[in-house]
Amino acid sequence: AQTVTQSQPEMSVQEAETVTLSCTYDTSENNYYLFWYKQPPSRQMILVIRQEAYKQQNATENRFSVNFQKAAKSFSLKISDSQLGDTAMYFCAFLFMNRDDKIIFGKGTRLHILP
Amino acid sequence: NAGVMQNPRHLVRRRGQEARLRCSPMKGHSHVYWYRQLPEEGLKFMVYLQKENIIDESGMPKERFSAEFPKEGPSILRIQQVVRGDSAAYFCASSLSGTGVKGNTEAFFGQGTRLTVV
């Protein structure tokens, strides 16, 4: 079974700093997607960024970027110039490619951006 | 252009009662996924349904839990004889086609139903 591990239950950084959230996963498959989702206090799940495993180039969305290391099965999220609105739970997630399946989530990292 | 609608947002039930959680997927979406989130935990997959069919219920407890997605109307997650351990946030997500198929990765989430069993 595929597993997603987030080893940092909670983190705090000062506003405007850069923060990196870690994620590792385990799969024997070669084709898959990886995601980072944000869950603010409203509980709404918001897709932050997506990476296709066959792409070597790391995905970037404005202040959010990933460091995807396929051989190491590592998928970290970097948030640059952090803002108070980035305070939330962040979930790393996995989805098989070319297969009708469900998204598998890690346990999450609670991120606090301090003023 | 409403998103995924879940109701109620909050539900309080006494031990032994039944809980019914509703999920109306986005317009045109025929794939629904239910997840459970325990306090300070990630989202755990429960069940995947398409219209009138259960595709994958591997994450759903064998007893007391059931789910349906009828031809007409919302998807329903039903928990019979609730216990304190059922207290959690239950999320529904919908997708136009199965996630992972033909490049589709868009699963849209509702805001969840927080079930409290007293």
Side-chain angles (χ1 to χ4, degrees):
Chain A
Q2 276 53 237
T3 57
V4 178
T5 303
Q6 294 179 249
S7 59
Q8 304 150 312
E10 198 160 358
M11 298 181 72
S12 297
V13 295
Q14 295 292 137
E15 191 177 7
E17 288 185 350
T18 294
V19 60
T20 299
L21 281 59
S22 302
C23 172
T24 58
Y25 59 94
D26 187 26
T27 183
S28 58
E29 298 282 333
N30 201 40
N31 297 319
Y32 48 88
Y33 301 97
L34 295 164
F35 310 89
W36 279 97
Y37 279 85
K38 171 184 178 181
Q39 186 183 43
S42 67
R43 291 208 313 255
Q44 183 70 53
M45 292 291 286
I46 302 165
L47 178 63
V48 174
I49 201 164
R50 178 184 82 176
Q51 175 81 42
E52 290 90 344
Y54 63 83
K55 289 187 178 178
Q56 290 188 332
Q57 187 172 8
N58 289 324
T60 299
E61 287 287 340
N62 301 315
R63 297 183 296 107
F64 298 87
S65 61
V66 298
N67 183 3
F68 174 46
Q69 301 289 328
K70 191 172 184 180
K73 295 180 183 174
S74 169
F75 184 62
S76 61
L77 175 70
K78 185 171 85 171
I79 306 174
S80 302
D81 185 27
S82 56
Q83 301 174 359
L84 296 178
D86 296 333
T87 291
M89 282 287 285
Y90 286 81
F91 294 100
C92 181
F94 173 101
L95 174 67
F96 283 115
M97 194 180 289
N98 301 323
R99 191 191 302 188
D100 189 358
D101 212 335
K102 67 272 189 184
I103 298 171
I104 300 165
F105 290 87
K107 287 192 173 184
T109 296
R110 185 175 296 282
L111 177 64
H112 302 275
I113 307 299
L114 307 172
Chain B
N1 188 18
V4 177
M5 304 299 292
Q6 290 188 248
N7 66 81
R9 288 292 309 275
H10 301 274
L11 181 62
V12 179
R13 284 287 177 265
R14 296 187 186 279
R15 279 179 294 172
Q17 289 185 320
E18 179 179 282
R20 280 194 176 208
L21 288 63
R22 292 175 182 76
C23 169
S24 296
M26 286 185 69
K27 189 176 181 180
H29 286 194
S30 59
H31 298 246
V32 165
Y33 308 80
W34 284 94
Y35 288 84
R36 176 164 63 177
Q37 184 179 30
L38 295 169
E40 304 305 316
E41 294 277 327
L43 276 70
K44 287 275 172 53
F45 168 76
M46 297 184 75
V47 61
Y48 166 30
L49 308 107
Q50 296 176 18
K51 288 277 187 181
E52 300 184 280
N53 282 308
I54 296 175
I55 306 302
D56 181 354
E57 55 182 349
S58 60
M60 201 152 69
K62 294 284 186 286
E63 297 180 356
R64 302 189 298 110
F65 285 73
S66 63
E68 62 178 10
F69 187 18
K71 189 177 180 182
E72 302 291 338
S75 175
I76 306 288
L77 179 67
R78 183 182 292 111
I79 311 171
Q80 296 177 303
Q81 298 176 315
V82 296
V83 301
R84 287 236 172 94
D86 297 333
S87 295
Y90 291 82
F91 286 87
C92 167
S94 78
S95 182
L96 187 62
S97 62
T99 50
V101 175
K102 295 180 183 175
N104 176 41
T105 61
E106 294 287 357
F108 297 86
F109 283 82
Q111 288 194 279
T113 294
R114 183 175 295 283
L115 171 65
T116 302
V117 179
V118 298

